mmCIF file of all heavy atoms in Angstrom:
data_model
loop_
_atom_site.group_PDB
_atom_site.id
_atom_site.type_symbol
_atom_site.label_atom_id
_atom_site.label_comp_id
_atom_site.label_asym_id
_atom_site.label_seq_id
_atom_site.Cartn_x
_atom_site.Cartn_y
_atom_site.Cartn_z
ATOM 1 N N ARG A 26 0.857 -1.187 0.000
ATOM 2 C CA ARG A 26 0.000 0.000 0.000
ATOM 3 C C ARG A 26 0.894 1.239 0.000
ATOM 4 O O ARG A 26 1.926 1.268 0.663
ATOM 5 C CB ARG A 26 -0.931 0.017 1.227
ATOM 6 C CG ARG A 26 -1.967 -1.097 1.229
ATOM 7 C CD ARG A 26 -2.949 -1.007 0.072
ATOM 8 N NE ARG A 26 -3.929 -2.088 0.057
ATOM 9 C CZ ARG A 26 -3.773 -3.243 -0.602
ATOM 10 N NH1 ARG A 26 -2.650 -3.467 -1.280
ATOM 11 N NH2 ARG A 26 -4.718 -4.167 -0.572
ATOM 12 N N CYS A 27 0.465 2.256 -0.756
ATOM 13 C CA CYS A 27 1.243 3.492 -0.882
ATOM 14 C C CYS A 27 0.667 4.598 0.003
ATOM 15 O O CYS A 27 -0.538 4.610 0.293
ATOM 16 C CB CYS A 27 1.254 3.964 -2.332
ATOM 17 S SG CYS A 27 2.242 2.899 -3.394
ATOM 18 N N PHE A 28 1.541 5.530 0.363
ATOM 19 C CA PHE A 28 1.175 6.606 1.286
ATOM 20 C C PHE A 28 1.799 7.921 0.830
ATOM 21 O O PHE A 28 2.662 7.944 -0.045
ATOM 22 C CB PHE A 28 1.636 6.250 2.703
ATOM 23 C CG PHE A 28 1.033 4.964 3.204
ATOM 24 C CD1 PHE A 28 1.645 3.753 2.933
ATOM 25 C CD2 PHE A 28 -0.166 4.959 3.883
ATOM 26 C CE1 PHE A 28 1.073 2.554 3.347
ATOM 27 C CE2 PHE A 28 -0.749 3.766 4.311
ATOM 28 C CZ PHE A 28 -0.122 2.563 4.041
ATOM 29 N N ALA A 29 1.367 8.989 1.465
ATOM 30 C CA ALA A 29 1.785 10.348 1.074
ATOM 31 C C ALA A 29 3.277 10.584 1.255
ATOM 32 O O ALA A 29 3.864 11.418 0.582
ATOM 33 C CB ALA A 29 0.990 11.380 1.870
ATOM 34 N N ASN A 30 3.898 9.854 2.176
ATOM 35 C CA ASN A 30 5.334 9.999 2.408
ATOM 36 C C ASN A 30 5.840 8.801 3.203
ATOM 37 O O ASN A 30 5.054 8.001 3.706
ATOM 38 C CB ASN A 30 5.657 11.319 3.134
ATOM 39 C CG ASN A 30 4.786 11.513 4.363
ATOM 40 O OD1 ASN A 30 4.853 10.732 5.306
ATOM 41 N ND2 ASN A 30 3.943 12.532 4.344
ATOM 42 N N GLY A 31 7.173 8.699 3.299
ATOM 43 C CA GLY A 31 7.798 7.591 4.001
ATOM 44 C C GLY A 31 7.690 7.672 5.515
ATOM 45 O O GLY A 31 7.964 6.689 6.202
ATOM 46 N N THR A 32 7.308 8.830 6.024
ATOM 47 C CA THR A 32 7.040 8.948 7.466
ATOM 48 C C THR A 32 5.712 8.278 7.797
ATOM 49 O O THR A 32 5.612 7.514 8.765
ATOM 50 C CB THR A 32 7.021 10.433 7.899
ATOM 51 O OG1 THR A 32 8.266 11.035 7.535
ATOM 52 C CG2 THR A 32 6.812 10.569 9.390
ATOM 53 N N ALA A 33 4.709 8.537 6.957
ATOM 54 C CA ALA A 33 3.392 7.907 7.147
ATOM 55 C C ALA A 33 3.493 6.385 7.069
ATOM 56 O O ALA A 33 2.845 5.675 7.845
ATOM 57 C CB ALA A 33 2.412 8.424 6.103
ATOM 58 N N THR A 34 4.331 5.879 6.170
ATOM 59 C CA THR A 34 4.443 4.417 6.042
ATOM 60 C C THR A 34 4.945 3.793 7.343
ATOM 61 O O THR A 34 4.464 2.741 7.758
ATOM 62 C CB THR A 34 5.411 4.011 4.904
ATOM 63 O OG1 THR A 34 6.716 4.482 5.192
ATOM 64 C CG2 THR A 34 4.981 4.534 3.569
ATOM 65 N N MET A 35 5.901 4.449 7.987
ATOM 66 C CA MET A 35 6.449 3.902 9.243
ATOM 67 C C MET A 35 5.461 4.045 10.398
ATOM 68 O O MET A 35 5.313 3.137 11.213
ATOM 69 C CB MET A 35 7.767 4.595 9.594
ATOM 70 C CG MET A 35 8.893 4.227 8.663
ATOM 71 S SD MET A 35 10.483 4.764 9.310
ATOM 72 C CE MET A 35 10.285 6.529 9.275
ATOM 73 N N LYS A 36 4.790 5.184 10.444
ATOM 74 C CA LYS A 36 3.784 5.401 11.495
ATOM 75 C C LYS A 36 2.685 4.337 11.378
ATOM 76 O O LYS A 36 2.282 3.719 12.384
ATOM 77 C CB LYS A 36 3.187 6.810 11.343
ATOM 78 C CG LYS A 36 2.053 7.115 12.319
ATOM 79 C CD LYS A 36 1.314 8.403 11.964
ATOM 80 C CE LYS A 36 0.451 8.254 10.739
ATOM 81 N NZ LYS A 36 -0.322 9.464 10.403
ATOM 82 N N ILE A 37 2.226 4.114 10.165
ATOM 83 C CA ILE A 37 1.139 3.151 9.957
ATOM 84 C C ILE A 37 1.629 1.719 10.175
ATOM 85 O O ILE A 37 0.885 0.885 10.685
ATOM 86 C CB ILE A 37 0.487 3.397 8.585
ATOM 87 C CG1 ILE A 37 -0.342 4.699 8.684
ATOM 88 C CG2 ILE A 37 -0.384 2.224 8.141
ATOM 89 C CD1 ILE A 37 -0.857 5.257 7.395
ATOM 90 N N ALA A 38 2.898 1.447 9.869
ATOM 91 C CA ALA A 38 3.458 0.122 10.178
ATOM 92 C C ALA A 38 3.395 -0.142 11.684
ATOM 93 O O ALA A 38 3.011 -1.238 12.118
ATOM 94 C CB ALA A 38 4.898 0.035 9.687
ATOM 95 N N LEU A 39 3.752 0.866 12.477
ATOM 96 C CA LEU A 39 3.670 0.728 13.938
ATOM 97 C C LEU A 39 2.228 0.496 14.379
ATOM 98 O O LEU A 39 1.964 -0.346 15.256
ATOM 99 C CB LEU A 39 4.225 1.988 14.612
ATOM 100 C CG LEU A 39 5.745 2.182 14.554
ATOM 101 C CD1 LEU A 39 6.112 3.630 14.858
ATOM 102 C CD2 LEU A 39 6.461 1.247 15.526
ATOM 103 N N GLN A 40 1.290 1.230 13.761
ATOM 104 C CA GLN A 40 -0.124 1.072 14.120
ATOM 105 C C GLN A 40 -0.643 -0.310 13.727
ATOM 106 O O GLN A 40 -1.380 -0.947 14.488
ATOM 107 C CB GLN A 40 -0.956 2.166 13.440
ATOM 108 C CG GLN A 40 -0.687 3.561 14.012
ATOM 109 C CD GLN A 40 -1.437 4.639 13.239
ATOM 110 O OE1 GLN A 40 -1.317 4.745 12.017
ATOM 111 N NE2 GLN A 40 -2.206 5.442 13.949
ATOM 112 N N VAL A 41 -0.259 -0.782 12.549
ATOM 113 C CA VAL A 41 -0.675 -2.113 12.098
ATOM 114 C C VAL A 41 -0.138 -3.182 13.053
ATOM 115 O O VAL A 41 -0.817 -4.166 13.354
ATOM 116 C CB VAL A 41 -0.203 -2.367 10.640
ATOM 117 C CG1 VAL A 41 -0.307 -3.846 10.278
ATOM 118 C CG2 VAL A 41 -1.013 -1.524 9.659
ATOM 119 N N ALA A 42 1.087 -2.965 13.559
ATOM 120 C CA ALA A 42 1.696 -3.914 14.499
ATOM 121 C C ALA A 42 1.135 -3.770 15.911
ATOM 122 O O ALA A 42 1.520 -4.520 16.817
ATOM 123 C CB ALA A 42 3.211 -3.720 14.514
ATOM 124 N N GLY A 43 0.240 -2.803 16.113
ATOM 125 C CA GLY A 43 -0.401 -2.627 17.417
ATOM 126 C C GLY A 43 0.505 -2.024 18.471
ATOM 127 O O GLY A 43 0.315 -2.238 19.670
ATOM 128 N N ILE A 44 1.497 -1.265 18.047
ATOM 129 C CA ILE A 44 2.454 -0.681 18.997
ATOM 130 C C ILE A 44 1.973 0.692 19.443
ATOM 131 O O ILE A 44 1.564 1.512 18.620
ATOM 132 C CB ILE A 44 3.860 -0.623 18.364
ATOM 133 C CG1 ILE A 44 4.380 -2.061 18.243
ATOM 134 C CG2 ILE A 44 4.827 0.230 19.178
ATOM 135 C CD1 ILE A 44 5.506 -2.253 17.297
ATOM 136 N N GLY A 45 2.002 0.919 20.767
ATOM 137 C CA GLY A 45 1.484 2.183 21.296
ATOM 138 C C GLY A 45 2.012 2.494 22.678
ATOM 139 O O GLY A 45 3.165 2.187 23.009
ATOM 140 N N ASP A 46 1.155 3.089 23.500
ATOM 141 C CA ASP A 46 1.555 3.585 24.820
ATOM 142 C C ASP A 46 2.310 2.542 25.642
ATOM 143 O O ASP A 46 1.833 1.415 25.807
ATOM 144 C CB ASP A 46 0.312 4.027 25.618
ATOM 145 C CG ASP A 46 -0.282 5.306 25.047
ATOM 146 O OD1 ASP A 46 0.423 5.986 24.279
ATOM 147 O OD2 ASP A 46 -1.447 5.606 25.361
ATOM 148 N N GLY A 47 3.479 2.954 26.142
ATOM 149 C CA GLY A 47 4.239 2.104 27.048
ATOM 150 C C GLY A 47 5.129 1.070 26.378
ATOM 151 O O GLY A 47 5.923 0.418 27.044
ATOM 152 N N ASP A 48 4.978 0.902 25.055
ATOM 153 C CA ASP A 48 5.814 -0.068 24.345
ATOM 154 C C ASP A 48 7.177 0.543 24.031
ATOM 155 O O ASP A 48 7.312 1.764 23.946
ATOM 156 C CB ASP A 48 5.145 -0.509 23.036
ATOM 157 C CG ASP A 48 3.847 -1.268 23.271
ATOM 158 O OD1 ASP A 48 3.720 -1.907 24.339
ATOM 159 O OD2 ASP A 48 2.960 -1.226 22.399
ATOM 160 N N GLU A 49 8.168 -0.324 23.837
ATOM 161 C CA GLU A 49 9.503 0.120 23.442
ATOM 162 C C GLU A 49 9.855 -0.433 22.066
ATOM 163 O O GLU A 49 9.506 -1.578 21.745
ATOM 164 C CB GLU A 49 10.554 -0.338 24.456
ATOM 165 C CG GLU A 49 10.449 0.376 25.794
ATOM 166 C CD GLU A 49 11.461 -0.115 26.830
ATOM 167 O OE1 GLU A 49 12.244 -1.042 26.520
ATOM 168 O OE2 GLU A 49 11.439 0.435 27.954
ATOM 169 N N VAL A 50 10.523 0.405 21.272
ATOM 170 C CA VAL A 50 10.967 -0.001 19.937
ATOM 171 C C VAL A 50 12.456 0.301 19.831
ATOM 172 O O VAL A 50 12.886 1.443 20.035
ATOM 173 C CB VAL A 50 10.193 0.755 18.833
ATOM 174 C CG1 VAL A 50 10.696 0.347 17.449
ATOM 175 C CG2 VAL A 50 8.692 0.497 18.949
ATOM 176 N N ILE A 51 13.247 -0.714 19.527
ATOM 177 C CA ILE A 51 14.695 -0.548 19.402
ATOM 178 C C ILE A 51 15.034 -0.035 18.007
ATOM 179 O O ILE A 51 14.552 -0.579 17.002
ATOM 180 C CB ILE A 51 15.414 -1.879 19.690
ATOM 181 C CG1 ILE A 51 15.250 -2.230 21.172
ATOM 182 C CG2 ILE A 51 16.892 -1.814 19.297
ATOM 183 C CD1 ILE A 51 15.760 -3.597 21.556
ATOM 184 N N THR A 52 15.858 1.019 17.950
ATOM 185 C CA THR A 52 16.249 1.572 16.650
ATOM 186 C C THR A 52 17.650 2.184 16.733
ATOM 187 O O THR A 52 18.328 2.072 17.753
ATOM 188 C CB THR A 52 15.189 2.574 16.135
ATOM 189 O OG1 THR A 52 15.465 2.867 14.755
ATOM 190 C CG2 THR A 52 15.164 3.860 16.945
ATOM 191 N N THR A 53 18.062 2.811 15.642
ATOM 192 C CA THR A 53 19.402 3.380 15.526
ATOM 193 C C THR A 53 19.384 4.895 15.721
ATOM 194 O O THR A 53 18.419 5.548 15.328
ATOM 195 C CB THR A 53 19.995 3.056 14.140
ATOM 196 O OG1 THR A 53 21.198 3.823 13.945
ATOM 197 C CG2 THR A 53 19.031 3.441 13.017
#
């Protein structure tokens, strides 16, 4: 699925994965 920008794609990926309040995500 396509989105308005690559920021929206990542935000929606987090939402699809059910990630939210109190969760931790490891990144660089």
